[in-house]
């Protein structure tokens, strides 16, 4: 599905914005589209690992798993949104959260002496 503003519809009874029926296709003819498809597959692979391990990661963690491929965090963030849209769920359903620097995510145990 397309995440373009023209394909977003507000549903009052759900108090949520949903996507319409417009679709986006990618062609492997040019390098830019092929690269974006490769990034999409890598993000899907990383998300599969995260979900299988039943852990949560940040968007920044996702970016740092393959900096050479992603180059820029905006690129991995956009593809992450694309994957969530394709699957029909939210980013948090994929165990990926946005967080500020220094924020701890995941299982943590404190012991006081």
């Amino acid at each position: 599905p397309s995440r373009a503003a023209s394909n977003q519809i507000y549903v009052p009874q759900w108090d949520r914005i949903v996507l319409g029926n417009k679709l986006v296709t990618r062609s492997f003819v040019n390098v830019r589209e092929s690269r974006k498809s490769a990034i999409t597959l890598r993000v899907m692979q990383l998300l599969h690992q995260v979900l299988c391990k039943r852990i949560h990661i940040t968007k920044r963690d996702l970016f740092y798993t393959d900096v050479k491929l992603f180059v820029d965090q905006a690129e991995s963030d956009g593809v992450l949104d694309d994957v969530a849209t394709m699957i029909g769920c939210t980013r948090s359903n994929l165990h990926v959260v946005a967080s500020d620097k220094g924020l701890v995510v995941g299982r943590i145990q404190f012991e006081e002496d």
Side-chain angles (χ1 to χ4, degrees):
S2 170
R3 290 187 293 118
S6 61
N7 195 40
Q8 297 177 10
I9 305 160
Y10 176 71
V11 180
Q13 53 273 47
W14 295 342
D15 191 29
R16 176 179 269 179
I17 295 173
V18 298
L19 296 175
N21 296 325
K22 293 181 185 175
L23 300 176
V24 174
T25 58
R26 290 189 187 150
S27 170
F28 287 95
V29 176
N30 68 46
V31 174
R32 182 175 170 213
E33 292 296 313
S34 297
R35 185 173 184 286
K36 192 160 185 180
S37 294
I39 291 171
T40 301
L41 289 174
R42 179 66 173 139
V43 167
M44 291 173 79
Q45 178 188 34
L46 294 169
L47 291 173
H48 181 260
Q49 291 172 1
V50 165
L51 293 169
C52 285
K53 291 178 183 177
R54 297 181 179 191
I55 61 173
H56 288 77
I57 62 169
T58 65
K59 292 192 314 181
R60 193 100 179 126
D61 292 334
L62 185 72
F63 167 71
Y64 276 118
T65 57
D66 203 336
V67 177
K68 286 185 179 180
L69 177 64
F70 298 135
V71 180
D72 180 10
Q73 187 173 346
E75 206 166 33
S76 61
D77 289 354
V79 170
L80 175 62
D81 291 339
D82 287 346
V83 170
T85 300
M86 284 190 292
I87 295 171
C89 67
T90 63
R91 182 177 23 97
S92 60
N93 291 131
L94 297 173
H95 292 195
V96 181
V97 295
S99 70
D100 295 327
K101 283 185 176 180
L103 193 65
V104 177
V105 176
R107 296 182 201 142
I108 188 166
Q109 183 177 0
F110 290 99
E111 291 184 20
E112 191 172 347
D113 292 332

